[in-house]
Amino acid sequence: MTPSAVDTDRRPFVLVWELTQACDLACKHCRADANPERHPDELTTAEGKRLLDDASRFDDGQLVVLSGGDPLAREDAVELVEYGTDAGLRMTLTPSGTASLTRERIETLADAGLRRVALSIDGGSAAAHDAFRKETGSYERTVAAAETARQAGVPLQVNTTVCAETVDELTEIRQVVEDVGAVLWSVFFLVPVGRGRVLDPISPARAERVMEWLWEVADEAPFGVKTTEAPHYRRVAAQRGGNTTGRPTADDIGRRAGITAGDGFAFVSHVGDVYPSGFLPRSVGNVGERSIVDLYRNTDLFESLRSPDSLRGKCGACEFRHLCGGSRSRAFAYSGDPLASDPLCDYVPEEYDGPLPEQSFTDRGSSTAD
């Protein structure tokens, strides 16, 4: 089955399970407000395996991302990757650049069936990355882990956060992404949750210019480009002569590019609570009480997020709402309404004359990605 044929009313393209919020880093943007200690009520290994069994009911090859905190803070991470692989799931992992990211661990994960590893790079140099991650040596460990993953045959994804502090690093980061041999660059536009509430986002106008630049990067780079919490990128691509069909493309693990919180995406927290996204903290229930399949398919919040015609304000009036839909997480963070307009979007539909979202953004500096 091709990704474009998958019915997102029935299954997510991406199911994220936050194994733990424990992490030795104190990154400035951390959604989870991670700290070194594990929570006593984390899903146990047995509960996690039941969750993976349940996820396999969505369909063959369901994509599962094990995240954190640092998922490698749990001793059973490899066991869970192997179990999920045996259950027919495509298991991927987003570890932190800590001392837990050893060559032996990566090789063991590869042997367990890991389909992809996603590492974060938020600066074009060790100094810039380590300052953002607040951990000296994080950049060197991350680059070394990327090389180990390559040698172990595990495809690499690089995740980068875009905010006022990092936007001027993007051109240098783009080169690092190529140098480490990544197959995909996932560019995350800041949503003010967790520790990220104290960071400054970029302005809507600056975000538009960055997305136009990313479109150019995608056209010539040896890796794919996707955005996270910035579906406007699909509108930018359509306007610049890219995909205008509204049928998003897929990367090499079958993930469709056109997913948003609750529509092709679901998040299970470390204690089993289910959200449309880790950046949209409105729970619809817990996997200890209802199955992830039922919670995804049959809860009011998820159903509303899968209906672009239910959007309000500028997003609701936009002709690109079925292709884009705006970040529901950012809409919720700024207004408390997950169906409101995304305040990061600079585009105003030609015939729209209603109120615009509050533009509480800053715009600092300049770069090639401008």
Side-chain angles (χ1 to χ4, degrees), residues 34-370:
N35 63 78
E37 302 302 320
R38 290 178 55 184
H39 194 285
D41 295 329
E42 285 175 1
L43 295 181
T44 65
T45 302
E47 290 169 334
K49 289 180 177 179
R50 286 196 292 272
L51 170 62
L52 295 175
D53 284 335
D54 203 17
S56 69
R57 293 175 45 224
F58 277 123
D59 209 340
D60 292 338
Q62 173 64 50
L63 176 62
V64 175
V65 179
L66 301 182
S67 76
D70 181 7
L72 294 183
R74 283 185 57 146
E75 298 80 5
D76 59 357
V78 173
E79 180 181 354
L80 291 168
V81 168
E82 185 172 29
Y83 187 89
T85 299
D86 290 344
L89 301 167
R90 288 173 295 162
M91 302 296 295
T92 68
L93 188 80
T94 60
S96 300
T98 69
S100 66
L101 200 56
T102 63
R103 172 179 293 274
E104 180 182 7
R105 205 80 179 274
I106 294 171
E107 292 174 346
T108 303
L109 285 163
D111 291 341
L114 190 70
R115 296 288 293 272
R116 177 175 293 183
V117 62
L119 301 174
S120 293
I121 297 177
D122 293 299
S125 66
H129 174 89
D130 289 356
F132 192 74
R133 293 270 155 181
K134 300 176 74 172
E135 176 76 13
T136 301
S138 174
Y139 181 86
E140 290 184 1
R141 285 193 294 269
T142 300
V143 171
E147 174 61 18
T148 299
R150 187 189 66 78
Q151 293 175 358
V154 179
L156 170 68
Q157 173 178 317
V158 170
N159 298 338
T160 296
T161 298
V162 178
C163 62
E165 184 173 341
T166 63
V167 67
D168 288 330
E169 296 285 321
L170 288 178
T171 51
E172 288 78 13
I173 295 172
R174 176 250 177 271
Q175 187 59 52
V176 175
V177 173
E178 180 172 348
D179 291 344
V180 299
V183 298
L184 184 69
W185 189 19
S186 179
V187 184
F188 167 71
F189 285 70
L190 181 72
V191 175
V193 297
R195 282 198 287 268
R197 287 190 295 266
V198 304
L199 294 177
D200 289 328
I202 59 176
S203 71
R206 187 75 181 278
E208 189 83 1
R209 296 193 295 272
V210 170
M211 290 182 208
E212 290 171 352
W213 175 77
L214 287 172
W215 184 83
E216 295 172 355
V217 171
D219 188 53
E220 52 83 23
F223 50 82
V225 176
K226 69 177 286 288
T227 57
T228 300
E229 298 298 351
H232 335 90
Y233 178 62
R234 302 196 289 273
R235 186 256 304 159
V236 168
Q239 290 176 314
R240 293 174 69 91
N243 173 24
T244 59
T245 65
R247 297 176 182 175
T249 56
D251 67 14
D252 67 343
I253 52 172
R255 172 167 47 200
R256 195 181 74 173
I259 61 175
T260 54
D263 185 10
F265 194 99
F267 179 91
V268 181
S269 80
H270 60 297
V271 295
D273 292 327
V274 176
Y275 305 96
S277 162
F279 302 98
L280 203 171
R282 178 179 286 182
S283 175
V284 295
N286 189 282
V287 296
E289 300 168 355
R290 291 176 65 180
S291 77
I292 183 61
V293 175
D294 184 32
L295 289 167
Y296 179 83
R297 292 177 178 172
N298 303 308
T299 50
D300 290 343
L301 178 57
F302 273 82
E303 289 175 353
S304 67
L305 292 170
R306 293 194 290 268
S307 175
D309 291 331
S310 69
L311 300 179
R312 294 187 264 273
K314 183 163 69 76
C315 283
C318 183
E319 67 270 30
F320 293 102
R321 64 187 179 277
H322 289 269
L323 178 65
C324 168
S327 167
R328 301 299 93 220
S329 302
R330 187 177 295 103
F332 181 76
Y334 278 86
S335 72
D337 179 2
L339 300 178
S341 291
D342 181 348
L344 186 63
C345 181
D346 197 47
Y347 179 72
V348 179
E350 185 174 345
E351 298 183 2
Y352 179 72
D353 61 359
L356 298 177
E358 180 183 358
Q359 301 297 298
S360 52
F361 292 86
T362 60
D363 195 358
R364 299 179 178 180
S366 63
S367 70
T368 303
D370 192 38

